[in-house]
Structures are given as structure tokens and as C-alpha cells.
Amino acid sequence: MPAGALFVNDSGELPLDTRRVLVQLLSGPALEGRRHSALWTALLRDEAVIRRRLSELFLDLVLDRDLQVAFTSQVSAEELDVPILLRRAQLTFIDSVLLLFLRQRLTQADAHGERAVVARDDMLENLLPYERSTSTDRAGFTKRVNASIEKLKKHNILQKLRGSEDRFEISPTLKLLFSAEEIITLTTLYQRMAAGDATAPGQQAIDDEDQE
């Protein structure tokens, strides 16, 4: 094999760890420094070339050094017929309310210098005021909340704690999905909805890998 090749017919130029970074970013949902320390080091070292490779796929690199979180997002270029590599995962009303609750819990944990840990029962209890907004019975509402939890586990927003089936750590990636202004706006809207003063909002969306 040629010098530097990693496998037969390898025509790539990047070292092994940098290729692993690209694979992690493309397979998603995120690369986190606390969970992928070696890949995080490679990402910071080769950020420029990784950005170039992602740009060739019409993807942007979202990177927060303080949070040690990185993920890809679809570029916005209305003047181009851009092929879509990432699909938009639609979020239900319950998904959105749960995300907002987790974002607030993450902020509280940061303020106290604690890990952002949440239990399944805690999530269900805090979403109960919105039960009548979904027009379901209690069993149906619980089923919807559990489905939302599973969806956020899939996207790595909720990461199951070792040795526990019902306690999770909230990923810092969530800080990059909701700005402070969006938190205030959504909190006000959802409080009004819980009181029966507003109609349900439209579906929200987050980027997902197009693997279906």
C-alpha cells in the first residue's frame, strides 16, 4: 500500500483520528469533548480542514469550545439547489415542552455547578400541567411523554446514567439549540397554553441524520 494509506485503495489524505472525527460528526448527533476526548483534541487540531470537508457536503460545523460540543447543520443557501443530507426531525408539542424543561434544568444545574441529571418521573410530573392541552387521558399522556423521552435519547439530548434505567444526564448540546430569547418566548407561550389561553404551537424541528 502507498505510504500513509490506511487500507487497500485508500485515496484519502487525512490521518485516522481526523477521519474518525468526520464520521462521528456525520453519524451524529454530536461530538462531545467529555465523551470523546481523543476526537475532541483531533477536531480542535484539524478544525479548518474538517470545516472544508463538511462544506463540500453543504454542511456547517457548529462548535462551542466552552461547552466542548460540536455538531453539523445544513447550510442555508436559497440561491443554490442544495442537496439535503440532513433531514428535519419534527417535534410534537410534548417534545417541545420537554426540551424546554430540560433546557431550564440544564441552566439551573450550571448555576449551581452540578451535573444536569433528571429522572423520568420528574419529567412526567413537570409536564402534567400540559396534559389537557394534548386532549388525552392520563395513560395516553404518559405514553406520549415516554415516547418523547425515547426520541431525545435517540438524539443524545438525554444520556442514560450507568446503572439506572430512569435517570438521565442532559447533554450540553441543548444549550446550542435554544437561545435565551427563545426560552423566554416559549416559556411564556407554554404557560399560557397550560392555562388554556392559547392554541398549540406548530411543530418544531431539529436536524437529524438522513438514514432512512
Side-chain angles (χ1 to χ4, degrees), residues 9-142:
N9 296 326
D10 179 17
S11 59
E13 303 170 344
L14 300 179
L16 177 60
D17 56 356
T18 307
R19 299 188 196 196
R20 290 186 182 278
V21 170
L22 281 170
V23 170
Q24 179 63 40
L25 289 171
L26 290 172
S27 61
L31 190 160
E32 298 182 19
R34 62 176 182 168
R35 302 178 63 220
H36 314 101
S37 57
L39 296 184
W40 183 257
T41 299
L43 170 61
L44 297 183
R45 182 193 68 209
D46 294 335
E47 178 185 348
V49 67
I50 289 170
R51 286 188 180 278
R52 288 198 298 271
R53 296 299 171 96
L54 291 175
S55 290
E56 291 169 355
L57 299 176
F58 303 99
L59 298 175
D60 188 24
L61 174 65
V62 180
L63 186 152
D64 190 302
R65 287 175 171 77
D66 293 331
L67 297 178
Q68 293 193 7
V69 169
F71 57 89
T72 59
S73 65
Q74 196 74 50
V75 299
S76 177
E78 295 181 359
E79 69 280 7
L80 298 175
D81 182 16
V82 175
I84 303 300
L85 182 62
L86 303 181
R87 61 181 170 84
R88 302 289 282 177
Q90 294 299 324
L91 302 180
T92 66
F93 169 59
I94 293 300
D95 295 338
S96 301
V97 175
L98 179 57
L99 276 171
L100 182 60
F101 165 68
L102 296 176
R103 179 65 177 86
Q104 293 169 328
R105 179 61 62 87
L106 189 59
T107 299
Q108 294 169 358
D110 284 347
H112 292 88
E114 302 170 347
R115 293 176 66 186
V117 174
V118 64
R120 185 183 299 270
D121 288 346
D122 194 19
M123 288 184 274
L124 177 59
E125 180 181 350
N126 278 272
L127 266 64
L128 283 178
Y130 303 96
E131 180 179 4
R132 62 174 171 270
S133 297
T134 66
S135 300
T136 68
D137 56 24
R138 176 60 57 84
F141 179 76
T142 300

Side-chain angles (χ1 to χ4, degrees), residues 173-193:
T173 305
L174 191 53
K175 294 180 183 179
L176 305 180
L177 299 180
F178 281 103
S179 67
E181 293 77 11
E182 289 171 327
I183 291 174
I184 294 173
T185 300
L186 288 173
T187 299
T188 301
L189 175 60
Y190 291 161
Q191 286 175 343
R192 290 174 55 199
M193 291 182 64

